[in-house]
Amino acid sequence: LQENAVKKYQIYYNDPEFQLSGKIFDTIEFRKEVAVHNRKQGKEFIHIGTLWKKLEKEYINKEERRFYHFIMESGLGEKNSMGFGFLNPIQ
């Protein structure tokens, strides 16, 4: 998840040197795995995904603030254009 998010950020902002100073989240709490059925051009596809109850980051330094704003807007993981990766911020 972290590698994918950093790669997307680096490409979007043309900043190949950007790296996170630590882990993307301090706390991650898994909720469940889901199967999502989609149709495209008459064919059915099943995408396996996960739902998470809690993704927490206690402190975000000034240099990484733009990165966290980016992932809140663009989503995490794969298949963001299909609605996967959506985040609901609490604070």
Side-chain angles (χ1 to χ4, degrees):
L1 187 66
Q2 180 167 333
E3 185 178 307
N4 181 275
V6 168
K7 181 178 75 173
K8 286 181 187 180
Y9 179 88
Q10 290 171 335
I11 292 169
Y12 186 81
Y13 284 108
N14 193 26
D15 185 2
E17 302 300 316
F18 176 81
Q19 291 297 320
L20 287 175
S21 59
K23 294 187 178 194
I24 191 168
F25 296 111
D26 299 322
T27 305
I28 299 175
E29 193 174 315
F30 177 76
R31 185 168 168 214
K32 66 179 178 178
E33 192 171 90
V34 295
V36 178
H37 298 264
N38 288 315
R39 284 192 168 276
K40 186 174 183 179
Q41 298 177 346
K43 295 181 182 178
E44 186 172 325
F45 297 90
I46 298 174
H47 298 282
I48 305 299
T50 53
L51 296 177
W52 298 86
K53 193 183 293 186
K54 189 187 296 186
L55 301 171
E56 286 184 334
K57 185 67 176 173
E58 294 293 324
Y59 175 76
I60 300 172
N61 68 41
K62 190 175 181 180
E63 293 79 29
E64 294 174 347
R65 214 171 284 266
R66 183 165 79 161
F67 169 78
Y68 283 96
H69 179 73
F70 173 78
I71 64 172
M72 293 302 293
E73 295 296 322
S74 66
L76 287 170
E78 301 290 334
K79 305 290 184 195
N80 299 128
S81 63
M82 297 177 70
F84 291 94
F86 182 77
L87 299 173
N88 286 319
I90 294 174
Q91 294 182 27

